Amino acid sequence: MKELLDNLNEKQKEAVLKTEGPVMAIAGAGSGKTSVLTKRIAYLIFEKNVHYENILAITFTNKAANEMKERVASLTGLFTNRMWISTFHAMCSKILREHIELLGYKKSFQIIDDDDVTQLIKSILKKKNYDIKMFKPKIVKYHVTKMKHDPLHYNDIEAPLNDVVKSVFRDYEKNLAENNLVDFEGLLILTIRLLKENKEIRNYYKKVFQYIMVDEFQDTNNVQYELIGLLVNENNNLFIVGDEDQSIYAFRGANIENIRKFKKDYPNYHLVLLEQNYRSTNNILTAANQIIKNNKSRVPKNLFSDKGDGAVITHYKGITARDEVEFVAMTILKMSRMGYKFDDFAILYRANSTSRMFEEVFMQKKIPYRIFGNTSFFKRKEIKDFTSYLRLILNMDDAFSFMRVISNPKRGIGQVTIDKLVDFAIAESLDLFEAIDRSNEILGKSAVNKLIDFKNMIIDFRVKLDELSFSQFVDYILSESGYIEMLKKDEKGDVRYENLLEFKTILSENEKIYETLEKEEILLYLLEDISLKSEESQSEIEDGVTFMTLHAAKGLEFRVVFLVTMENGMFPLNSSFNDKKQFEEERRLMYVGVTRAKEKLFITNANTRQTYGETNQNPDSAFLKEIDPELVEVKGYSEIINTPASKSTFLRRKTSIDLRKKSIQSYDKNELNKGDKVSHVKFGDGIIVSVAGDNCIIAFSHPHGIKKLLKDHPSIKKV
């Protein structure tokens, strides 16, 4: 037994040995909670002589459950296949497989996944003659799912969607029952119903589960909490482990109040604080403690480590967002030459749209990266949709873009109509817009009018390109095409819209780079650049710097972490400042981000940032100000403006900033500047129109015209 407790600290041993009655273990980030859970199971089996089938251990993911099984198998030498170590859904499936007949189902019931649910709801909508363009199946599915947990959710749905959801919900539940189907939510809800309605079954499982353990308790929702309560016997041998400071999934239904409900429902609970961290250095942990202590109604704890103080936190403030990104990239390159591998680094951000500029710079500098849990920016559906609109506006012969946007969003032009139009165009040797002009030869009046409306819309967009600013142009396309309305009915519409707004920033940046060019030429260069970037995207590689959201980072660790765009409005979000609960969740998200770092933490932001096409100057993140300045090394813009010398005169400050701008540009291999005359081995003499990163735009004499080239290419010489 001694061997089992080896390598455990005193608090971990306490959590393992305290087997009787309710126990709440508040496990700080990196405190070894999985070791505690698995050794507790082994202790119950070997020292308390508890049969393994009388132990229930619940976690949230199949990955976590499998890891726990492997560790228990290693500790005990027992086969774990028959052990009750599983997710909530797997446990309920096992129970229902034995007893679901009591609820009117057959034991042979099938579990349907999310895609199947969406298809079923789609078929119900069609059967009831609802317009699926107006009432998107995925949106209806979202509300149907919510109503399974909370019937009162109906009151929160706006008309006319609420009546549609109510009607579909009834048919959906009836369809599941008639076809012996169970969805994921139903697994939990049916199990609760089974236990409530059948005292004999409830008492049976209370007897079976002598000891219950629940991992990641802060992520439980109300249904899961109720389910646990129905399974706990009179001994109340319930062990929960979690960390309310890492409760960041309220948007998924997680209820942080469950930890507080536990205290109320089990007033004689034993509290164990797991505060020793095995991941990070003390400077990182002290910063995390200082941040999270500002949240109220939490169990106080202070993480500490035996890894020493380690490096201080670096706060780099760029002059611009580009400066911020360049600093991150150059720091990674520098540290990689010191022995760090690229997969030792993680860049964590609040919003997915943040990845765009990092992707761009990392591709330029040949730094491998991977985007965790998301698609590369330029491969995201909404970005590909929008660029297809732009390509078609610039080139009405672009059949590929035509086919992508004509029914995106849906505008009453069906596939049969499109197929007839394409066949006619091929037969008559016409482009697709020419075919529209003659579509009355093959199609009815209604279809012809819709096609003509589409053509006129694209022509109107082309006219508006010259009349509107780029920012206005983006808004105009999104509005007039119907794309905005389509996003409103998309469950991920907010995120997709945010990515499209980022396109304003891209256009604004390119307008400055190509300031001497016409708008049409700017768009042509931009679209070419996007095509290249999309092709070069490295989101699928296995080894490289990790890009991810803070939500996706929970449970992971990295030697070096960069928390980027740390400004009020970016992180924390503007919407959180007037909502205490949301602001505290944002702070917990910050805590999660800080505690991902093992050796070194960088916090970065910018003095000015192009956000959705507008230049903004946001204050440093409120969370940054909660860290003791003694723990932070300041670099960049903040370092410049806070030196005594800088405060003496404005001129000195401006000179310092200009020097820093020059240092940023010094990463470029060739000193080519706007206005320089050059000679090219093929295109002859030319003049530099603009310089951006590793590229330059050069105007050559007729017939070569304007070219975009690598400025350090050996074929280019400064004259």
Side-chain angles (χ1 to χ4, degrees):
M1 191 64 248
K2 182 179 179 301
E3 293 77 16
L4 187 63
L5 300 179
D6 284 349
N7 301 317
L8 295 180
N9 63 47
E10 290 306 309
K11 287 295 180 179
Q12 288 176 322
K13 289 177 184 176
E14 181 183 343
V16 169
L17 298 174
K18 181 63 179 173
T19 60
E20 307 308 303
V23 179
M24 178 167 66
I26 298 297
S31 61
K33 64 180 178 66
T34 305
S35 289
V36 168
L37 280 165
T38 52
K39 290 191 175 184
R40 198 172 195 271
I41 293 171
Y43 179 80
L44 285 169
I45 294 171
F46 285 131
E47 292 298 312
K48 304 290 289 187
N49 296 316
V50 179
H51 194 278
Y52 64 80
E53 289 187 344
N54 296 131
I55 302 169
L56 171 64
I58 305 174
T59 188
F60 271 81
T61 65
N62 287 315
K63 181 182 177 183
N66 290 332
E67 182 186 353
M68 198 178 296
K69 284 180 179 180
E70 289 172 4
R71 291 207 194 183
V72 170
S74 176
L75 288 168
T76 64
L78 300 172
F79 291 106
T80 56
N81 289 340
R82 294 187 63 187
M83 290 187 183
W84 288 86
I85 302 175
S86 70
T87 63
F88 275 101
H89 293 93
M91 175 197 69
C92 290
S93 177
K94 191 173 178 180
I95 291 173
L96 290 174
R97 198 62 72 183
E98 291 294 321
H99 310 287
I100 201 169
E101 289 176 319
L102 294 170
L103 299 175
Y105 287 75
K106 298 176 183 176
K107 286 188 177 183
S108 59
F109 72 88
Q110 297 296 309
I111 301 169
I112 58 173
D113 60 21
D114 278 353
D115 289 338
D116 293 331
V117 171
T118 303
Q119 289 304 312
L120 177 55
I121 286 175
K122 184 177 180 180
S123 69
I124 294 171
L125 286 165
K126 285 183 174 180
K127 187 177 180 181
K128 293 177 135 332
N129 293 317
Y130 288 121
D131 185 352
I132 62 171
K133 294 178 228 175
M134 181 178 293
F135 304 108
K136 296 282 187 182
K138 285 188 176 180
I139 298 295
V140 176
K141 170 185 168 287
Y142 168 79
H143 290 294
V144 165
T145 300
K146 292 277 285 185
M147 284 183 65
K148 288 175 78 79
H149 295 293
D150 178 18
L152 296 177
H153 174 69
Y154 170 79
N155 299 321
D156 298 329
I157 310 171
E158 294 183 0
L161 180 59
N162 54 356
D163 287 337
V164 174
V165 171
K166 189 176 183 179
S167 175
V168 170
F169 180 80
R170 286 194 299 265
D171 281 30
Y172 172 73
E173 290 291 276
K174 183 181 177 184
N175 195 293
L176 291 182
E178 288 177 348
N179 291 281
N180 206 39
L181 301 172
V182 179
D183 58 18
F184 283 116
E185 287 74 26
L187 288 171
L188 275 66
I189 292 166
L190 287 173
T191 303
I192 288 175
R193 184 182 149 197
L194 174 74
L195 296 172
K196 281 185 171 180
E197 294 179 0
N198 295 271
K199 185 178 179 181
E200 186 180 344
I201 300 295
R202 184 171 69 251
N203 289 337
Y204 169 78
Y205 282 103
K206 283 178 178 287
K207 186 177 179 180
V208 169
F209 301 137
Q210 295 295 307
Y211 296 87
I212 298 176
M213 290 173 254
V214 185
D215 190 17
E216 302 287 5
F217 193 79
Q218 78 280 347
D219 292 336
T220 56
N221 59 32
N222 295 337
V223 172
Q224 290 160 342
Y225 186 91
E226 183 180 7
L227 181 58
I228 294 164
L230 288 168
L231 293 172
V232 174
N233 62 29
E234 65 276 4
N235 295 321
N236 285 337
N237 291 335
L238 174 60
F239 178 84
I240 67 166
V241 58
D243 183 7
E244 55 193 333
D245 293 338
Q246 296 187 75
S247 179
I248 59 174
Y249 296 129
F251 66 96
R252 294 182 188 172
N255 188 358
I256 193 172
E257 293 297 323
N258 284 348
I259 287 182
R260 294 155 199 170
K261 283 170 69 177
F262 177 91
K263 298 176 188 177
K264 182 181 178 182
D265 293 341
Y266 306 91
N268 63 329
Y269 74 94
H270 181 82
L271 175 66
V272 184
L273 295 181
L274 302 179
E275 298 174 292
Q276 184 169 353
N277 176 284
Y278 293 90
R279 175 187 300 153
S280 309
T281 60
N282 277 308
N283 281 334
I284 293 170
L285 297 177
T286 300
N289 291 331
Q290 290 171 351
I291 293 165
I292 201 62
K293 73 179 182 181
N294 293 289
N295 274 5
K296 309 304 179 186
S297 302
R298 56 181 287 272
V299 178
K301 65 177 185 299
N302 279 288
L303 299 182
F304 66 93
S305 168
D306 61 4
K307 293 182 178 293
D309 289 342
V312 295
I313 297 161
T314 296
H315 171 213
Y316 180 87
K317 187 167 187 172
I319 300 165
T320 64
R322 183 78 180 200
D323 183 11
E324 176 191 9
V325 177
E326 289 276 359
F327 169 79
V328 173
M330 297 307 295
T331 301
I332 288 173
L333 285 173
K334 180 182 178 181
M335 294 181 74
S336 70
R337 292 192 290 270
M338 296 164 56
Y340 285 85
K341 298 181 294 183
F342 286 119
D343 60 1
D344 288 331
F345 301 95
I347 297 171
L348 308 183
Y349 37 77
R350 183 64 178 84
N352 271 310
S353 58
T354 304
S355 74
R356 194 270 306 175
M357 189 176 289
F358 284 93
E359 290 183 66
E360 182 179 312
V361 170
F362 276 52
M363 280 189 280
Q364 288 176 353
K365 299 189 182 299
K366 305 291 190 292
I367 303 173
Y369 68 88
R370 57 181 177 174
I371 301 176
F372 187 92
N374 202 2
T375 309
S376 171
F377 183 84
F378 291 109
K379 287 185 177 181
R380 293 170 194 171
K381 180 185 180 300
E382 59 275 14
I383 299 301
K384 294 181 74 171
D385 287 345
F386 191 76
T387 53
S388 292
Y389 271 102
L390 294 181
R391 295 181 197 280
L392 189 60
I393 292 165
L394 296 175
N395 178 16
M396 294 181 69
D397 292 334
D398 187 341
F400 181 83
S401 295
F402 180 101
M403 297 300 290
R404 184 172 185 106
V405 305
I406 190 168
S407 296
N408 197 8
K410 303 289 185 184
R411 45 180 57 90
I413 303 173
Q415 192 58 48
V416 173
T417 297
I418 296 170
D419 290 343
K420 286 182 179 180
L421 186 73
V422 170
D423 290 342
F424 180 66
I426 294 171
E428 298 294 321
S429 300
L430 305 170
D431 67 43
L432 289 169
F433 282 109
E434 289 173 336
I436 288 176
D437 292 335
R438 292 175 53 187
S439 59
N440 62 324
E441 299 177 29
I442 57 169
L443 296 168
K445 185 177 179 181
S446 176
V448 170
N449 288 339
K450 289 173 181 175
L451 287 170
I452 291 173
D453 286 345
F454 174 71
K455 178 181 177 179
N456 289 338
M457 181 184 71
I458 300 300
I459 293 172
D460 177 56
F461 289 163
R462 180 63 189 84
V463 173
K464 289 297 191 290
L465 174 61
D466 298 323
E467 297 177 355
L468 303 174
S469 69
F470 272 137
S471 181
Q472 292 169 329
F473 185 57
V474 172
D475 290 337
Y476 189 80
I477 292 175
L478 293 176
S479 175
E480 295 302 310
S481 67
Y483 208 92
I484 289 289
E485 286 302 312
M486 180 181 75
L487 290 180
K488 288 180 180 178
K489 300 168 185 174
D490 188 329
E491 61 182 340
K492 296 182 179 178
D494 290 345
V495 175
R496 297 189 188 281
Y497 184 56
E498 190 174 77
N499 287 329
L500 286 166
L501 290 180
E502 177 66 11
F503 214 93
K504 290 186 180 182
T505 303
I506 298 172
L507 285 169
S508 178
E509 290 171 351
N510 278 267
E511 191 170 20
K512 291 176 181 177
I513 294 170
Y514 309 127
E515 58 185 351
T516 62
L517 303 183
E518 298 293 326
K519 287 181 178 176
E520 184 174 343
E521 293 174 299
I522 294 173
L523 283 184
L524 284 169
Y525 283 121
L526 172 62
L527 291 170
E528 180 184 345
D529 196 40
I530 287 172
S531 295
L532 293 171
K533 286 171 180 172
S534 183
E535 186 66 28
E536 294 170 5
S537 169
Q538 303 175 66
S539 59
E540 301 302 319
I541 70 168
E542 294 185 0
D543 185 22
V545 179
T546 299
F547 295 1
M548 62 172 32
T549 64
L550 284 150
H551 281 101
K554 187 172 175 290
L556 303 176
E557 60 183 37
F558 303 90
R559 290 182 70 185
V560 183
V561 167
F562 293 85
L563 292 179
V564 301
T565 66
M566 289 295 300
E567 303 145 27
N568 286 345
M570 301 293 289
F571 185 41
L573 300 177
N574 276 328
S575 58
S576 68
F577 284 95
N578 296 319
D579 187 326
K580 182 183 175 184
K581 284 187 176 180
Q582 187 183 349
F583 194 82
E584 290 203 344
E585 178 133 342
E586 291 283 292
R587 185 180 280 117
R588 291 194 292 271
L589 198 55
M590 176 69 177
Y591 174 83
V592 167
V594 170
T595 54
R596 297 313 93 192
K598 297 169 69 175
E599 298 175 10
K600 177 66 180 175
L601 175 65
F602 292 88
I603 297 175
T604 69
N605 57 4
N607 183 53
T608 61
R609 180 181 305 278
Q610 286 276 333
T611 309
Y612 311 144
E614 302 292 329
T615 300
N616 294 302
Q617 190 172 26
N618 297 321
D620 291 347
S621 171
F623 303 141
L624 180 57
K625 298 173 183 178
E626 294 176 347
I627 303 173
D628 187 337
E630 291 186 1
L631 294 175
V632 182
E633 174 192 28
V634 178
K635 290 187 175 183
Y637 183 81
S638 294
E639 181 184 31
I640 294 168
I641 65 173
N642 287 313
T643 59
S646 71
K647 296 176 182 178
S648 62
T649 64
F650 173 79
L651 180 62
R652 189 172 297 178
R653 182 190 305 172
K654 185 177 184 304
T655 303
S656 298
I657 294 171
D658 289 342
L659 287 171
R660 182 163 293 278
K661 286 181 177 178
K662 188 174 180 181
S663 72
I664 295 166
Q665 295 170 350
S666 70
Y667 298 138
D668 299 328
K669 295 180 181 179
N670 260 338
E671 289 296 329
L672 292 178
N673 299 296
K674 182 179 176 181
D676 287 347
K677 293 181 180 179
V678 295
S679 177
H680 189 276
V681 293
K682 181 178 178 182
F683 305 131
D685 293 335
I687 187 167
I688 304 288
V689 175
S690 64
V691 177
D694 296 330
N695 300 312
C696 59
I697 305 296
I698 307 175
F700 294 102
S701 56
H702 183 79
H704 304 295
I706 295 175
K707 304 289 183 182
K708 182 179 181 181
L709 302 168
L710 288 170
K711 64 182 186 179
D712 62 340
H713 199 279
S715 62
I716 303 173
K717 289 185 179 179
K718 192 172 179 178
V719 183

